[in-house]
């Protein structure tokens, strides 16, 4: 049951990501074309897998819980591949969905950073999109002091690491100062504020998980 749930989540991620890239144009044109070609080739890959394993259309269709005609149309390219059809077939053939689909590499892995000015600091996004944990570099010139109502709360979890200078961090009724090389993490449902502690400003990294994801370090 657990393996089936995890397979479903992986499948949803793969198909969702491919659909997102094709719809929003976030990948280069060449990568988008590679995805289209990959999806167009699903039928031939399914037919090849079935023939390699010496199985008939009827046998695979029964194991996957679909009609023989549906599988036949899928293999011939007359039926558009979907999560509901591909997931059980991945189980039948014992393959992860991305291998079954033949997901291509998505374009250039480099992130083209576009600095953003926000109040009295420069923010450099270090990750793509708005899903999952997001990474940012913050550059602040000069001292900052919290104004009335500056402490905010919102869902999520944040981790900060000071690169240069000193960072004032207010969490609820606690105030602390982090120096270069120090880090902190906290639940953003706690009223919080952070800013440069000195006139020389501060540079720091932040990781924010909008769904409350924490930073996990594996060794």
């Amino acid at each position: 049951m657990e393996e089936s749930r995890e397979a479903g989540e992986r499948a949803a991620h793969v198909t969702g990501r491919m659909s997102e890239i094709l719809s929003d144009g976030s990948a280069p044109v060449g990568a988008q074309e590679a995805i289209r070609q990959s999806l167009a080739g699903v039928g031939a890959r399914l037919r090849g897998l079935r023939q390699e394993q010496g199985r008939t259309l009827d046998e695979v269709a029964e194991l996957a819980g679909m009609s023989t005609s549906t599988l036949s149309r899928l293999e011939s390219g007359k039926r558009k591949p979907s999560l509901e059809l591909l997931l059980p077939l991945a189980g039948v053939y014992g393959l992860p969905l991305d291998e079954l689909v033949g997901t291509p590499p998505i374009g250039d892995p480099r992130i083209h950073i576009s600095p953003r000015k926000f109040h009295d600091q420069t923010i450099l996004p270090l990750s793509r999109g708005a899903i999952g944990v997001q990474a940012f570099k913050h550059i602040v010139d000069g001292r900052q002091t919290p104004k009335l109502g500056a402490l905010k709360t919102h869902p999520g979890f944040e981790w900060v690491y000071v690169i240069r200078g000193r960072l004032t961090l207010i969490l609820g009724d606690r105030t602390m100062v982090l120096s270069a090389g120090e880090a902190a993490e906290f639940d953003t449902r706690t009223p919080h504020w952070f800013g440069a502690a000195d006139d020389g400003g501060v540079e720091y990294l932040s990781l924010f998980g909008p769904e409350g994801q924490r930073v996990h370090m594996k060794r």
Side-chain angles (χ1 to χ4, degrees):
M1 180 67 71
E2 181 67 18
E3 292 179 356
S4 177
R5 182 184 66 80
E6 292 178 355
E9 291 177 350
R10 289 196 301 269
H13 173 76
V14 172
T15 55
R17 178 58 183 151
M18 293 175 75
S19 298
E20 174 189 339
I21 289 169
L22 288 174
S23 63
D24 70 7
S26 61
V29 174
Q32 294 183 46
E33 182 57 30
I35 293 174
R36 291 190 179 91
Q37 291 178 4
S38 179
L39 290 175
V42 167
R45 279 189 290 277
L46 290 174
R47 185 186 302 109
L49 281 169
R50 180 175 58 78
Q51 293 175 346
E52 287 175 9
Q53 296 184 11
R55 294 178 172 181
T56 65
L57 276 169
D58 290 337
E59 178 184 359
V60 173
E62 181 178 0
L63 290 172
M66 66 181 68
S67 68
T68 302
S69 62
T70 296
L71 179 58
S72 177
R73 286 168 58 81
L74 194 59
E75 287 189 358
S76 65
K78 296 178 181 178
R79 177 71 180 264
K80 184 178 180 180
S82 66
L83 176 62
E84 291 76 12
L85 295 175
L86 294 178
L87 183 56
L89 288 170
V92 170
Y93 293 124
L95 292 174
L97 188 69
D98 52 353
E99 288 188 28
L100 185 70
V101 175
T103 310
I106 306 303
D108 190 339
R110 292 173 296 182
I111 297 172
H112 302 286
I113 300 173
S114 299
R116 304 171 186 170
K117 282 287 186 180
F118 184 75
H119 296 317
D120 49 1
Q121 65 178 297
T122 300
I123 301 176
L124 296 89
L126 303 179
S127 54
R128 287 192 178 106
I131 300 174
V133 176
Q134 302 296 296
F136 305 90
K137 180 179 180 180
H138 304 253
I139 302 174
V140 181
D141 296 321
R143 184 191 300 267
Q144 295 172 305
T145 55
K147 299 177 181 178
L148 185 63
L151 273 67
K152 304 296 183 183
T153 63
H154 50 85
F157 209 88
E158 188 141 7
W159 176 91
V160 294
Y161 173 82
V162 181
I163 302 172
R164 176 189 63 81
R166 300 199 309 159
L167 182 73
T168 298
L169 173 61
I170 301 177
L171 282 176
D173 57 0
R174 297 183 60 196
T175 299
M176 60 202 79
V177 176
L178 306 178
S179 299
E182 291 189 302
E185 60 178 355
F186 55 92
D187 189 323
T188 53
R189 290 173 296 183
T190 302
H192 61 279
W193 177 90
F194 41 90
D198 303 315
D199 293 337
V202 66
E203 293 185 22
Y204 63 97
L205 299 175
S206 70
L207 297 180
F208 173 66
E211 303 301 327
Q213 302 98 324
R214 300 185 64 169
V215 177
H216 295 284
M217 303 294 187
K218 295 185 178 180
R219 297 183 179 181

